[in-house]
Amino acid sequence: MAQHSTAPRSNTSQETSTPHRETRSEWAHGGMVFAGVLMMVIGVMGILNGIAGIATDDVYADLGTYVFKFSLTTWGWIHLVLGLAVLGTGYAVIQGRDWARAVGIALTSLFAIEYFMFLPYAPVWSVICIGIAVFVMWSLATAPDSHARM
């Protein structure tokens, strides 16, 4: 029978996992910054949609009766207010504010719900906005802690 050494082995898996963990952390941090930029972009687009809805009531076609039926002026105000909030929070995410990640997840959740309800008026744009909101929520939820990086 072969005899086994009692000397401790060097842990090679720990040495190789450190660079992988750092690379993964950098990707997650980059995703968080990209999420902040996307939040600012969708915030500006929401503001523009809101202004268009408030200024004229015939920007979007009225497609019939739905459960979520609001006047287009009301939709304009909803887009404007939520767009301003998402824009400001996106800027705070880029600045690295601790509170901005949680608020960003909450606001992009509302943003996705808003565009789900807005599907009858702009179906393609709504689906795109929902996809962006899901990516932003994922990026903010999986980003590394800012205190752990220092």
Side-chain angles (χ1 to χ4, degrees):
M1 292 199 144
Q3 298 245 337
H4 297 286
S5 171
T6 58
R9 290 188 201 168
S10 65
N11 192 356
T12 58
S13 66
Q14 188 178 27
E15 294 170 6
T16 59
S17 69
T18 304
H20 174 69
R21 188 172 294 144
E22 288 175 6
T23 303
R24 190 169 140 204
S25 175
E26 293 301 321
W27 273 98
H29 180 70
M32 187 176 72
V33 171
F34 185 58
V37 170
L38 280 177
M39 286 178 72
M40 291 181 68
V41 170
I42 61 176
V44 168
M45 294 301 292
I47 290 168
L48 294 175
N49 279 340
I51 291 170
I54 293 167
T56 58
D57 221 15
D58 59 351
V59 173
Y60 299 105
D62 194 9
L63 302 176
T65 58
Y66 290 94
V67 175
F68 317 118
K69 185 153 176 94
F70 296 121
S71 72
L72 290 177
T73 304
T74 305
W75 275 116
W77 282 107
I78 292 170
H79 284 302
L80 181 65
V81 169
L82 197 56
L84 285 169
V86 169
L87 175 68
T89 306
Y91 182 73
V93 166
I94 291 174
Q95 295 298 314
R97 305 283 186 243
D98 291 331
W99 58 268
R101 287 176 59 189
V103 173
I105 291 170
L107 284 177
T108 52
S109 298
L110 288 174
F111 185 83
I113 292 168
E114 169 196 12
Y115 273 95
F116 175 76
M117 293 171 62
F118 198 67
L119 269 168
Y121 299 99
V124 174
W125 178 246
S126 294
V127 170
I128 291 169
C129 286
I130 291 168
I132 291 171
V134 168
F135 173 76
V136 167
M137 286 184 280
W138 173 80
S139 294
L140 293 177
T142 60
D145 222 9
S146 61
H147 298 297
R149 294 181 47 87
M150 294 180 182

